Each structure stands twice: as C-alpha cells, then as structure tokens.
Amino acid sequence: MGTLYRKDAWHFGAVSAGGDVHRQQAGDPHESAGLYEADLRSTVHFGAFASGEIKPRKDRNPNARKTRKRKNLKENTTMKRREFLSMSAVLAAAGLFAGCAGSNAGSTAASTAGSAASEQPSNGGETVKIICPYGVGGTADIVARKYGQVANQLQKKYNFIVENMTGGDGFAAATYFADSNTSINKELLVFGYGVCYRHDLGKEFGTEEVDFDRSEMYPIGTIDDRTWIVYTTPDQSLASILEKAKNGGIKMSGGNPLSDCHLSWGSLIAMEGGKVSVVPYDGGANQKKGLTDGEVDVFVGTTQAAKDEVEAGTLIPILAMNDRPFEGFVTPNGAITVPTCAGESKAPELNAANDYASCILPAGGVLAVHKGTDQAFIDEMVEITKDVWNEPDYNEWIASILLNRFELYGDEAEAFINEACEKAINAYKNLSGQA
C-alpha cells in the first residue's frame, strides 16, 4: 500500500522539463534563453522553437537526432565531471557529500573540491551509481545525494554514489539508462514525473523527439515529492495576474514549454480564458531573478524554491497547484496559508464554475532500475528505500526543505506514474485547445 504522511502529499507538480539538449551549470550569467511563444491553442514542437520554425515530424531529418545523440552522450561523459567539480564546494559546505561533515567543509572546500567530487566517501560496499539527470546543486541532485548518504550509513553491502548526466532536461539520462548497450544493471535512475509526461506527449502528439521507452524503467520507490506554487511580486496579486492573462497574456518562468509546471499552470490559465508564454532560464535563481527584474509576471516553482524570498518579502505565493492549502511559509508579517486551485480552499479569484482538479499534476520522482533487473536486487533496493524513508535524517530533512513525505513502491509506484501521465495528457489537451 502507498503511504501518505502529509495532507497535501498527493498533489504536486514535477521536475523541470524542457526542449532540446541543454546543460545547466552553476554560475551561468543571468540571461533569458529567449521567449518561447507557446500559444495555448496550438500544438507545439520543442525542437522548432530555437529557430522559430515548426516542422511536422514527418519532415524532419531522421538522422540529425541520432548524430546529436551520439555527440551529446560523448560530451556528457566529460561534462558531467566538470559540472560536479564546479559545485562540489557548495555541496560540501551544505554537508551533502555522503559522509561529509558540514562543520568544517566550508573552510576546506576550495582546496578539496576536486578530491571531494572524484572520491565520494565509500562504506566499502559494492558501488551502485545513482544517475541524476539534472545539474549539481538542484533539488533532484541534493535529494539523490541525501538518499545516498543515508543509505550508506544504514547498510554496508552497497555503496551509493551520484553521477550527474545532464542534457535534454532529463532525456539524455533516460536515453542512456533505457539502452542496455550503454547502461549497466546495478545502476539507479532519478526518474522524474516530468520526463514521463514529456515522453508520453512526444509519443502521442509528436511534441518532441523521444529516443527511449519509459517502460524500460521500473520504479523501486518514490524519493521526491513536491507541490507547485505560483509566485509573483508584492505589487501584484492573483486577481491582477488573471486579469492580465485574459487581456494580452502573461509570461512565466519555471521550466520550458510543456514542462510539468507549464502544463499545470498553463492549463489553468487556458481554462480561465487567458494566455501564458514561457521564458526559459538556467536554474531556479535566474528564474526568480527574471520575476524580480520584471521580465516575467510569475515564477512557478516548488515550495522550497522561493522560501527565503517569501520570508524576506521580495516574492509572494499566490496559489498552490493543489486541492489542499499549503501552510509552510512564513512572511515578514508571520505565517500564511496559500490558497489552492481546487478543493475547499480554492482561491475566490478563480472562476467558481470551473473544476481545476485536472490542473494538479504529480511532481517529483522515483528511483528506477532497469526493467528485467534481477528480482533479488530490486527487492533489496526497495527495502533500502523504505529504510531511508524511515530514518529521521532523511524524512526530517525532506520536511525541512518543504518537500512532502510520500511513499509508493514497485508496482504501485508504476501505476501511480501511469495515472499521472494520463492527467498530463488531459492537461495538454486543455493547454492546446483539444479538450
């Protein structure tokens, strides 16, 4: 049976997703990657945005993607170590290298960054790589590292290490992992719901090229559960944002066109009779800066993404993409409750006649193994994941960064993903006017 610990844990958004191959590295300049004008009433193709040209799938060069794929896999092999090194000092200071003591990491990080990255402390067990499809220092990365740290403390048979394989906002790692010629059996993949959504949309609607089959991944258990929050600046409100969306349209940061946060928030705006376009940025810091600089109207992110800005009063949360209110924020004026898009706490600014429950998409992800992996190994990984969740060092840490404790394992986790993908397809139909 699935285990639900927090009252809002069933409803969340998903890890950031996007278009063509893209690497997120710490320290990128604050620069918009260009406005993706994804009209809410049209079917869009990711690969065409950069040039402004949208081609039907049948007219695309069938060999171009394969060439890029081989090149990107080679580049990722060398780039992932560079990305790891670039943020190792930050992670060491945060105590998120497995076995690393946060008390003295800050003073030695500069001199030990290289060794910390290449020599993650070992518990002496057999190495199991956790492939993380996103950059070092992001939410998926730090959750994977915390999982590995706790798992290594709880048992000695396996030594978990994290390896970052960025590209395609999750697609590069998924393509690698699903290919038995490139991946190995005793590896785990941080498999985000957003990647699953894009996979199914690509397969059914041709929204982007998909070079892997998600059925090749089997979830051992959930490790990351999030709630999407819509943020804006203190001089705006949910009412003013909705009004602007209906009269000319609004811009959002957080993900790329047809990412899960765009599907969630964008389908709601479409049901309200408005329009939203996505301005993609590198990393959450730049996504928030785009809002404070006035380049976008809202930032859609996780509960922990703008916690500090809410406390400082520079950003305000105006809506939880959930059917239960979120109560974890503290502002300069005290604790607040964020209204929802559905349920008893539905924001009064929203159209009372509309049911926005279809806009609530699961967010976060699971750890997955290869479909067909030895059942004994799968069973061991499931038990280790359960033990990790039961360890306060993990579950209390998850709560401290405003994520949710939500547990599903094996077949139940797989069924949950399939149901979530159906919701994403329905949200896409709302977004593109096909509902």
Side-chain angles (χ1 to χ4, degrees), residues 20 36 44-56 60 207:
D20 251 337
Y36 286 152
V44 293
H45 297 267
F46 279 52
F49 282 113
S51 63
E53 178 184 4
I54 298 178
K55 294 182 180 180
R60 301 178 198 168
T207 51

Side-chain angles (χ1 to χ4, degrees), residues 255-290:
N256 288 325
L258 301 190
S259 62
D260 35 321
C261 56
H262 179 216
L263 287 171
S264 183
W265 171 242
S267 60
L268 181 147
I269 292 297
M271 291 176 68
E272 281 281 322
K275 293 183 178 181
V276 59
S277 55
V278 182
V279 181
Y281 296 88
D282 283 336
N286 286 335
Q287 292 169 356
K288 292 180 289 186
K289 194 170 189 303

Side-chain angles (χ1 to χ4, degrees), residues 309-314 330-334:
E309 288 80 3
V310 171
E311 290 180 356
T314 56
V330 177
T331 73
N333 296 322

Side-chain angles (χ1 to χ4, degrees), residues 92-383:
L96 288 174
F97 280 126
C100 176
S103 59
N104 61 3
S107 61
T108 61
S111 61
T112 63
S115 60
S118 60
E119 299 177 14
Q120 296 181 57
S122 172
N123 65 1
E126 180 182 357
T127 296
V128 174
K129 287 183 180 179
I130 300 175
I131 305 297
C132 179
Y134 306 101
V136 175
T139 302
D141 177 73
I142 63 173
V143 169
R145 292 182 188 281
K146 190 66 175 180
Y147 174 95
Q149 177 187 20
V150 175
N152 287 343
Q153 293 169 351
L154 292 174
Q155 53 78 52
K156 302 300 180 184
K157 182 175 181 179
Y158 298 106
N159 180 56
F160 295 90
I161 64 172
V162 175
E163 185 172 288
N164 299 83
M165 187 178 292
T166 63
D169 283 321
F171 268 32
T175 301
Y176 160 84
F177 197 83
D179 188 346
S180 60
N181 293 320
T182 58
S183 187
I184 61 176
N185 284 335
K186 289 189 176 179
E187 287 182 332
L188 303 177
L189 175 69
V190 178
F191 198 30
Y193 303 135
V195 172
C196 299
Y197 302 156
R198 289 170 48 217
H199 170 280
D200 284 20
L201 292 176
K203 292 288 189 180
E204 182 167 343
F205 299 102
T207 51
E208 61 183 311
E209 299 287 348
V210 181
D211 292 332
F212 67 95
D213 183 349
R214 73 173 176 88
S215 67
E216 293 298 320
M217 291 73 151
Y218 180 74
I220 61 169
T222 53
I223 61 166
D224 175 9
D225 181 72
R226 315 177 187 188
T227 301
W228 283 128
I229 299 291
V230 182
Y231 302 90
T232 192
T233 49
D235 60 327
Q236 302 184 92
S237 64
L238 178 58
S240 68
I241 292 296
L242 293 175
E243 184 66 22
K244 186 174 182 180
K246 298 172 187 176
N247 294 279
I250 59 172
K251 299 174 185 177
M252 66 168 279
S253 62
N256 288 325
L258 301 190
S259 62
D260 35 321
C261 56
H262 179 216
L263 287 171
S264 183
W265 171 242
S267 60
L268 181 147
I269 292 297
M271 291 176 68
E272 281 281 322
K275 293 183 178 181
V276 59
S277 55
V278 182
V279 181
Y281 296 88
D282 283 336
N286 286 335
Q287 292 169 356
K288 292 180 289 186
K289 194 170 189 303
L291 174 56
T292 57
D293 285 355
E295 296 173 0
V296 298
D297 301 289
V298 297
F299 161 59
V300 183
T302 61
T303 49
Q304 53 88 23
K307 176 176 177 290
D308 293 343
E309 288 80 3
V310 171
E311 290 180 356
T314 56
L315 293 181
I316 60 171
I318 56 174
L319 192 68
M321 299 303 296
N322 206 317
D323 61 1
R324 295 182 183 274
F326 183 77
E327 300 176 342
F329 287 123
V330 177
T331 73
N333 296 322
I336 62 170
T337 299
V338 184
T340 63
C341 65
E344 296 180 358
S345 301
K346 178 179 176 181
E349 296 89 343
L350 296 173
N351 188 333
N354 288 343
D355 180 5
Y356 299 103
S358 62
C359 302
I360 303 171
L361 297 180
V366 301
L367 279 182
V369 296
H370 298 278
K371 183 66 70 70
T373 295
D374 180 70
Q375 188 61 46
F377 179 73
I378 293 176
D379 293 343
E380 286 180 306
M381 294 300 103
V382 169
E383 290 307 311

